[in-house]
Amino acid sequence: MSQQDFVIAPSILSANFARLGEDVDQVLASGADWVHFDVMDNHYVPNLTIGPMVCKALRDHGVTAPIDVHLMVKPVDRMIADFIEAGATSITFHPEASEHIDRSLQMIRDGGCKAGLVFNPATPLHLMDHVMDKLDMILLMSVNPGFGGQKFIPHTLEKIQAARTRIDASGLPLRLEVDGGVGLNNLAEIAAAGADTFVAGSAIFGARQASDPHAFDTIIKQLRAELTKN
């Protein structure tokens, strides 16, 4: 896979929310590709984060990069409509959180966004089999969703390989995204397993140093260097 096919998507879950617009501007200026936007409802997952107003605020602030919205909410359909209106580029959700997976995916597509399913560590991949034609991306969680800063679950590498096999067999141009515990220590092997889109929160925003205004430049260059090892 060529270097330009890889996407680095910093998760703003680890950003400084008191200066969110500035943080997002800085990571994008440092070479990040997408903004990963984690939405949690304290119902589907045991945490509460941000909603469509923050997405719209980033657009109004001037962010033009793709905003990749990961819905960890149940039910999902109302939030899908709200995030389409707020300026999302892509919207992914968990199959367990929708009563009608096909309908929810079609809602996203009809709204002009890219659509995807998210698979928790113990969620079987076969849930994608009958909706492949409505998918633009698959997101594999390499931690249990709800909190940033968790450690990568090692057997996710086998699941990435299995998902890549399914995607390649379909002949469809789906992106394979991985989220959770992604950093310099494992990025190369995650890419080697077949992923092409990488969500990193604490690995990127945790590199911030008050004494180094170029910290984001440095960490994103280091992540890109890891991706050249394949």
Side-chain angles (χ1 to χ4, degrees):
M1 186 171 293
S2 64
Q3 182 70 15
Q4 62 263 31
D5 290 329
F6 291 127
V7 166
I8 293 177
S11 167
I12 61 172
L13 187 63
S14 299
N16 180 348
F17 277 82
R19 42 180 269 183
L20 184 57
E22 185 182 341
D23 264 13
V24 170
D25 287 344
Q26 286 182 356
V27 293
L28 290 171
S30 296
D33 301 296
W34 297 358
V35 178
H36 188 76
F37 198 100
D38 289 299
V39 184
M40 306 182 191
D41 65 353
N42 198 34
H43 177 66
Y44 180 70
V45 291
N47 197 0
L48 184 66
T49 58
I50 47 180
M53 286 189 295
V54 179
C55 181
K56 183 177 185 301
L58 287 176
R59 288 299 190 209
D60 291 345
H61 174 72
V63 173
T64 58
I67 295 180
D68 178 34
V69 174
H70 173 195
L71 294 179
M72 289 165 271
V73 303
K74 186 176 182 178
V76 300
D77 288 356
R78 170 62 191 272
M79 282 288 102
I80 286 170
D82 288 348
F83 272 98
I84 289 169
E85 190 174 341
T89 307
S90 54
I91 300 175
T92 59
F93 65 91
H94 294 254
E96 303 95 331
S98 172
E99 298 297 328
H100 304 282
I101 297 169
D102 186 278
R103 176 189 295 159
S104 298
L105 289 169
Q106 193 61 53
M107 280 183 65
I108 298 171
R109 286 278 194 87
D110 288 347
C113 295
K114 293 186 182 300
L117 287 179
V118 190
F119 293 84
N120 288 331
T123 304
L125 290 175
H126 69 75
L127 291 174
M128 74 172 79
D129 287 350
H130 299 290
V131 291
M132 294 282 278
D133 60 320
K134 289 187 171 68
L135 293 174
D136 298 289
M137 58 202 303
I138 292 161
L139 172 54
L140 298 186
M141 295 302 297
S142 38
V143 299
N144 288 295
F147 300 94
Q150 299 184 69
K151 288 186 178 178
F152 183 89
I153 296 174
H155 67 70
T156 306
L157 291 170
E158 297 168 21
K159 199 171 185 181
I160 296 168
Q161 292 170 340
R164 171 51 63 193
T165 299
R166 270 181 153 85
I167 292 169
D168 290 347
S170 76
L172 297 168
L174 277 60
R175 296 206 73 89
L176 179 51
E177 186 173 17
V178 177
D179 181 3
V182 175
L184 290 172
N185 65 320
N186 58 12
L187 189 65
E189 61 180 344
I190 293 170
D196 53 45
T197 305
F198 312 92
V199 178
S202 50
I204 291 176
F205 288 104
R208 183 203 321 269
Q209 297 178 38
S211 60
D212 181 6
H214 303 295
F216 289 153
D217 295 323
T218 301
I219 183 62
I220 290 174
K221 281 178 184 170
Q222 289 172 334
L223 291 168
R224 294 266 183 224
E226 287 298 307
L227 292 173
T228 65
K229 293 182 178 180
N230 291 297

